[in-house]
Amino acid sequence: AEFRKWKAQCLSKADLSRKGSVDEDVVELVQLLNGREQFFTTSSCAGRIILLDQGINGSEVQKQNCCWLLVTHKPCVKDDVIVALKKANGDAILKFEPLVLHVQCRQLQDAQILAVRSTHGLEVPLTHKGKLMVTEEYINFLIKIANQKMEENKKRIERFYNCLQHALEKETISMTSFPKEKIREKNNSSYTHKKKRNPEKACGKYITEENNKELENDDHDDPGISVTIFPEDY
């Protein structure tokens, strides 16, 4: 009940992202997760190419303190990057960032089918103290690489969506094929390490009273488990 309340509150809030809405390429994935009672998304980005200016004294990329010179969720062209670079006063960084999806999960076993990470990114410095440090030819080369990564990222989103949909359907079939007592017994790690008990006691009083009490306490204290997804190996 606590998780459902938290989910409803989160999904009813306004979108505070720069764009103000869910990216087109990830809408179906977000809807798939939010349509399941055991998940809800807290933030997402389908993937983007960005040009950040860290400022004159910038020593590392910190997006909240940077000037966003260019951001696009689609392939970009060299002319747009060149024009944006003229506005740089410090250390400008060209980046490609793949899909990022933050998901809140009701229980640990719900999170286990979502734990995916990726190294499919790009980050290259182009200016230092406002001075361009590379040639336009090299910038054009970087943009081609970034656009290729963007196209590959879109394919991975589609593949991840299909795999996740299959996994959720398989989980639903498993949940409806076995009694609740058996599922609880399987998910209770402490139970599997104990000595065998009388079958009637194991499937009856032991599980339905003691384990239910534990689950109720867990839901009250911790309404969910947060998972961050960076798709790659799926």
Side-chain angles (χ1 to χ4, degrees):
E2 187 71 17
F3 183 82
R4 289 196 297 270
K5 180 180 178 181
W6 194 11
K7 177 177 180 177
Q9 291 175 344
C10 182
L11 296 182
S12 64
K13 294 179 180 178
D15 192 324
L16 299 179
S17 64
R18 289 174 178 270
K19 184 180 178 182
S21 62
V22 178
D23 296 337
E24 180 181 349
D25 290 338
V26 80
V27 167
E28 290 187 1
L29 180 56
V30 169
Q31 291 176 341
L32 175 64
L33 288 166
N34 289 334
R36 295 279 177 156
E37 63 178 0
Q38 67 268 42
F39 306 114
F40 69 89
T41 59
T42 58
S43 64
S44 64
C45 176
R48 60 192 178 186
I49 297 172
I50 56 178
L51 185 63
L52 301 174
D53 186 5
Q54 301 180 82
I56 298 176
N57 298 320
S59 59
E60 62 181 18
V61 176
Q62 296 180 345
K63 285 181 245 181
Q64 66 271 22
N65 298 321
C66 290
C67 176
W68 292 58
L69 302 176
L70 175 70
V71 56
T72 177
H73 297 273
K74 303 293 183 181
C76 68
V77 296
K78 184 186 73 173
D79 290 345
D80 293 338
V81 175
I82 296 297
V83 171
L85 278 173
K86 293 179 180 179
K87 303 175 185 178
N89 296 316
D91 297 348
I93 307 291
L94 179 68
K95 298 186 68 177
F96 164 74
E97 296 178 335
L99 164 69
V100 175
L101 185 62
H102 295 185
V103 183
Q104 201 72 19
C105 305
R106 185 178 55 187
Q107 300 181 68
L108 178 60
Q109 57 263 37
D110 298 325
Q112 289 174 340
I113 64 172
L114 295 176
V116 183
R117 291 186 176 272
S118 171
T119 56
H120 184 64
L122 177 70
E123 181 175 334
V124 183
L126 299 181
T127 70
H128 179 58
K129 295 182 178 180
K131 179 182 178 181
L132 187 63
M133 305 300 293
V134 298
T135 65
E136 289 193 13
E137 182 181 4
Y138 184 66
I139 292 175
N140 191 51
F141 170 71
L142 289 177
I143 291 172
K144 287 181 179 180
I145 294 177
N147 287 340
Q148 289 172 358
K149 287 181 175 291
M150 181 71 78
E151 290 300 319
E152 175 62 22
N153 178 69
K154 187 174 181 179
K155 294 177 182 178
R156 292 185 182 200
I157 292 175
E158 294 175 356
R159 188 160 69 247
F160 179 70
Y161 175 87
N162 292 331
C163 291
L164 178 61
Q165 187 178 44
H166 176 74
L168 292 176
E169 290 174 352
K170 185 178 180 180
E171 182 186 49
T172 301
I173 294 174
S174 298
M175 292 290 289
T176 56
S177 300
F178 298 96
K180 292 183 179 179
E181 289 80 4
K182 292 294 183 181
I183 295 173
R184 288 173 183 162
E185 176 182 330
K186 181 179 179 180
N187 291 333
N188 189 339
S189 59
S190 62
Y191 176 85
T192 59
H193 294 290
K194 295 181 181 293
K195 293 182 180 180
K196 292 183 179 180
R197 292 179 172 80
N198 182 282
E200 293 181 359
K201 184 177 181 181
C203 295
K205 181 178 179 181
Y206 179 79
I207 293 176
T208 57
E209 291 184 6
E210 183 175 340
N211 288 9
N212 277 349
K213 185 177 181 180
E214 291 182 4
L215 290 174
E216 289 175 0
N217 291 335
D218 289 343
D219 288 341
H220 178 73
D221 296 335
D222 184 3
I225 298 170
S226 181
V227 175
T228 303
I229 302 177
F230 302 85
E232 180 180 44
D233 301 323
Y234 49 84

